[in-house]
């Protein structure tokens, strides 16, 4: 994730990411990455890019993005499409399911997002992905007669994709839309109008079919009836074919696009790639908040018994499906279980907390009746609760848009007990968990739960060596998260 690279403050890791990810991509037949993500994470509530962007500093985003591009361009014949123009990270909403707005005025936009894109253009960026993002302030400044109901996302707006991107910034590379199923695009007009509107706005390539035959017929009809002009069609095709020619694709047989099995093994097993991953994980770990000095480093002598509370959030069906796809299906160890094992290997007596709600679920799944006494049994004497362990780790494995807590009062799920015994909060996904748990006095962002990251996390816990620097505002702009 970009945020993990941003936390290291090391541009060479961004270059390595561009090289490693796309060496592997090319072997399986890919020749263009929809990357780097050059959005700026200004809004902590944004779930779409807060973990993918390099951070909230435009200069750092520009620097890291250029290095990623350089790394990708070491891969022969590989192109990059930076996203999401004109820039995500201002709105808290996700364009997959709602509108998204960048409301900066032109001057501020040019200093931030515009600067990032111009830096990439000067560094040889191949393509841009247009985002389904509206620019109401920019539009009112430059086109004062435009009505609110006429505001369109960039992918459908000629004033943005042509007027701003082409004319003002001077970009002449290929432009591809973001996915055409996203609500930020589909909620503006009928699909039969939307497809040609994207091309006429200045997008050269349209991303994803709804129904292939239907969408193709829509585009062809728009061309045949003059909705898409001959000039615009030739212009779009020239940019698409020009990019392919620039990458030498006209010289590659279709059968040669994918690498051989041997090349695939070589790319996936590259020892140089494997060696750098643990370094990145070690340098990225960020001790964001540390109010109870003396808690770190942890040792078995200080904290023999460690209770790990797995805070997963309310999984959506898609979240569960993605977990399975990423190797987290039935029978697979959860990240919290891996951390538990690694702590026990260091001499601790670690265990994973089972909440009253978890017990109730097991009871019902086993065919029994729901016993509400189990829920209320979670409330006991403070002395009894704290006597069971010497330290608690609140382990946040919460996906981007998931709510954090379900129904819980007085159990161990929510760390209400931060003044009763030492508590360390650790997030391995969403980096903004302090908004939900401002009471935490020690909080760490690990950014992912890869094996290398978990090894680095345990080492840092027992040594106190945390090297990362917060790439966003993990305090979420709130005063109470800092106290």
């Amino acid at each position: 994730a970009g945020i993990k690279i941003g936390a290291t403050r090391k541009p060479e890791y961004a270059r390595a990411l561009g090289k490693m990810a796309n060496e592997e991509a090319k072997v399986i037949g890919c020749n263009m990455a929809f990357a780097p993500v050059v959005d700026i994470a200004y809004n902590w509530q944004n779930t779409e890019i807060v973990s993918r962007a390099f951070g909230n500093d435009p200069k750092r985003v520009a620097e890291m993005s250029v290095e990623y591009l350089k790394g990708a361009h070491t891969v022969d014949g590989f192109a990059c499409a930076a996203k999401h123009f004109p820039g995500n990270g201002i709105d808290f909403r996700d364009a997959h399911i709602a509108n998204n707005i960048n409301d900066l005025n032109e001057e501020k936009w040019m200093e931030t997002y515009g600067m990032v894109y111009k830096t990439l253009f000067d560094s040889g960026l191949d393509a841009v992905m247009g985002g389904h993002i509206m620019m109401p302030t920019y539009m009112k400044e430059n086109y004062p007669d435009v009505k609110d109901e006429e505001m369109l996302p960039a992918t459908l707006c000629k004033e943005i994709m042509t007027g701003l991107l082409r004319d003002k910034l001077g970009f002449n590379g290929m432009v591809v839309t973001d996915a055409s199923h996203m609500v930020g695009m589909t909620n503006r007009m009928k699909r039969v109008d939307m497809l040609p509107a994207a091309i006429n706005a200045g997008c050269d390539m349209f991303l994803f079919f709804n129904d292939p035959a239907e969408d193709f017929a829509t585009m062809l009809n728009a061309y045949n009836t003059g909705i898409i002009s001959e000039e615009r069609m030739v212009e779009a095709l020239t940019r698409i074919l020009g990019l392919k020619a620039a990458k030498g694709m006209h010289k590659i047989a279709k059968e040669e696009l994918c690498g051989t099995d041997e090349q695939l093994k070589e790319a996936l097993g590259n020892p140089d790639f494997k060696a750098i991953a643990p370094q990145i994980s070690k340098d990225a770990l960020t001790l964001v908040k540390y109010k109870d000095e003396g808690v770190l480093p942890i040792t078995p002598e200080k904290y023999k018994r460690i209770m790990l509370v797995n805070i997963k959030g309310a999984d959506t069906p898609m979240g569960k499906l993605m977990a399975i796809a990423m190797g987290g299906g039935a029978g697979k160890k959860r990240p919290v279980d891996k951390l538990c094992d690694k702590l026990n290997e260091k001499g601790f007596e670690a265990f994973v907390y089972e909440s009253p709600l978890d017990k109730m679920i097991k009871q019902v799944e086993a065919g029994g009746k729901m016993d509400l006494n189990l829920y209320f049994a979670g409330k006991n004497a403070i002395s009894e609760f704290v006597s069971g362990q010497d330290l608690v780790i609140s382990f946040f494995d919460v996906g981007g848009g998931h709510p954090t807590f379900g129904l819980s009062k007085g159990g161990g799920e929510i760390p209400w007990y931060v003044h009763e015994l030492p508590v360390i909060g650790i997030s391995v996904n969403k980096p903004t968990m302090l908004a939900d748990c401002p009471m935490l006095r020690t909080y760490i962002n690990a950014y992912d739960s890869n094996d290398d990251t978990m090894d680095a996390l345990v080492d840092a816990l027992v040594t106190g060596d945390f090297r990362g620097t917060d790439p966003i505002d993990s305090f979420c702009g709130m005063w109470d998260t800092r106290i």
Side-chain angles (χ1 to χ4, degrees):
I3 192 172
K4 183 175 181 179
I5 301 295
T8 70
R9 295 296 198 273
K10 293 188 175 183
E12 60 266 31
Y13 287 158
R15 184 182 291 211
L17 178 63
K19 177 178 176 58
M20 293 187 298
N22 297 315
E23 284 276 11
E24 294 176 355
K26 185 178 180 183
V27 173
I28 62 171
C30 296
N31 43 54
M32 183 168 73
F34 292 148
V37 176
V38 300
D39 299 310
I40 307 171
Y42 284 125
N43 191 327
W44 72 268
Q45 291 178 297
N46 182 295
T47 59
E48 191 175 354
I49 59 92
V50 71
S51 293
R52 293 194 286 166
F54 288 113
N56 62 359
D57 179 352
K59 292 182 179 179
R60 188 184 324 124
V61 171
E63 179 184 35
M64 294 292 190
S65 298
V66 167
E67 290 302 313
Y68 178 98
L69 180 65
K70 290 178 180 178
H73 279 170
T74 64
V75 183
D76 187 44
F78 206 89
C80 285
K83 62 185 182 185
H84 307 80
F85 188 87
N88 204 328
I90 299 288
D91 202 333
F92 71 91
R93 293 171 295 182
D94 183 338
H96 290 86
I97 55 176
N99 287 337
N100 192 283
I101 290 172
N102 185 321
D103 62 0
L104 297 183
N105 62 31
E106 184 172 354
E107 181 181 6
K108 187 64 176 177
W109 187 89
M110 285 292 187
E111 292 173 356
T112 54
Y113 292 92
M115 179 274 293
V116 172
Y117 276 101
K118 194 68 172 66
T119 302
L120 278 164
F121 299 163
D122 293 342
S123 300
L125 180 67
D126 309 284
V128 163
M129 174 182 278
H132 310 316
I133 300 166
M134 292 183 280
M135 298 184 75
T137 304
Y138 171 86
M139 291 292 290
K140 287 290 187 182
E141 279 183 338
N142 289 274
Y143 309 94
D145 293 334
V146 68
K147 298 176 183 177
D148 287 349
E149 56 269 24
E150 295 172 335
M151 294 286 182
L152 292 170
T155 40
L156 300 174
C157 183
K158 188 171 183 178
E159 291 82 0
I160 297 175
M161 297 311 296
T162 299
L164 178 56
L165 178 60
R166 300 288 192 201
D167 299 339
K168 290 186 178 180
L169 294 183
F171 183 66
N172 196 37
M174 193 193 78
V175 173
V176 58
T177 72
D178 203 347
S180 68
H181 307 113
M182 296 168 66
V183 175
M185 188 183 200
T186 60
N187 70 357
R188 306 307 295 166
M189 60 186 69
K190 292 181 178 179
R191 190 171 182 87
V192 68
D193 299 318
M194 186 184 82
L195 274 66
I199 303 301
N200 286 335
C203 301
D204 304 307
M205 183 180 285
F206 194 83
L207 182 61
F208 294 156
F209 288 115
N210 192 46
D211 175 79
E214 182 182 65
D215 281 356
F216 182 82
T218 294
M219 285 290 197
L220 183 59
N221 183 64
Y223 169 69
N224 287 332
T225 59
I227 295 172
I228 299 175
S229 68
E230 181 76 21
E231 180 185 12
R232 177 69 192 110
M233 182 64 76
V234 169
E235 180 185 47
L237 289 173
T238 299
R239 290 201 180 100
I240 294 170
L241 295 174
L243 178 55
K244 290 183 176 183
K247 297 302 174 182
M249 289 187 63
H250 59 301
K251 300 177 182 178
I252 304 173
K254 182 174 65 174
E255 295 76 17
E256 297 173 352
L257 283 174
C258 292
T260 63
D261 289 345
E262 190 59 37
Q263 289 171 324
L264 179 61
K265 290 178 183 177
E266 184 178 338
L268 297 179
N270 189 311
D272 293 335
F273 294 177
K274 289 187 174 181
I276 199 169
Q279 299 172 25
I280 294 173
S281 292
K282 191 173 186 67
D283 288 341
L285 287 170
T286 307
L287 180 60
V288 175
K289 183 178 180 180
Y290 192 37
K291 301 289 286 188
D292 283 335
E293 293 191 16
V295 172
L296 296 170
I298 64 172
T299 65
E301 291 72 32
K302 287 166 62 177
Y303 309 115
K304 185 69 171 179
R305 300 166 302 165
I306 299 178
M307 181 173 80
L308 292 94
V309 181
N310 190 46
I311 302 165
K312 183 62 182 170
D315 257 344
T316 63
M318 178 58 75
K320 293 176 181 177
L321 184 62
M322 289 300 293
I324 293 170
M326 297 297 288
K332 297 285 186 178
K333 278 193 175 181
R334 301 172 299 174
V336 70
D337 297 318
K338 292 180 181 180
L339 178 58
C340 185
D341 291 344
K342 292 178 186 298
L343 287 170
N344 286 331
E345 290 170 7
K346 295 287 186 180
F348 296 95
E349 293 177 2
F351 62 97
V352 178
Y353 169 78
E354 186 177 36
S355 73
L357 290 176
D358 290 334
K359 293 175 182 177
M360 288 167 63
I361 290 170
K362 282 186 177 181
Q363 186 180 63
V364 173
E365 287 179 339
K369 294 182 179 180
M370 184 181 294
D371 183 3
L372 289 177
N373 289 324
L374 282 174
Y375 174 62
F376 291 103
K379 297 155 184 60
N380 51 15
I382 299 298
S383 58
E384 181 180 343
F385 179 80
V386 302
S387 67
Q389 55 277 324
D390 305 308
L391 177 137
V392 175
I393 292 178
S394 293
F395 189 83
F396 297 96
D397 187 12
V398 179
H402 297 164
T404 302
F405 297 111
L407 182 65
S408 175
K409 296 179 181 178
E413 303 95 306
I414 302 175
W416 52 267
Y417 38 80
V418 294
H419 296 290
E420 306 289 352
L421 74 173
V423 180
I424 299 173
I426 301 172
S427 177
V428 295
N429 280 324
K430 193 175 178 182
T432 52
M433 299 313 307
L434 279 174
D436 292 288
C437 281
M439 74 287 282
L440 286 168
R441 301 180 61 76
T442 302
Y443 175 73
I444 296 160
N445 272 329
Y447 308 108
D448 64 48
S449 56
N450 297 337
D451 288 344
D452 290 329
T453 302
M454 302 304 282
D455 288 335
L457 174 61
V458 172
D459 287 343
L461 287 171
V462 299
T463 63
D465 182 15
F466 289 88
R467 302 179 181 181
T469 304
D470 191 8
I472 59 170
D473 174 19
S474 292
F475 293 99
C476 307
M478 299 177 177
W479 67 268
D480 61 305
T481 56
R482 295 180 178 274
I483 61 176

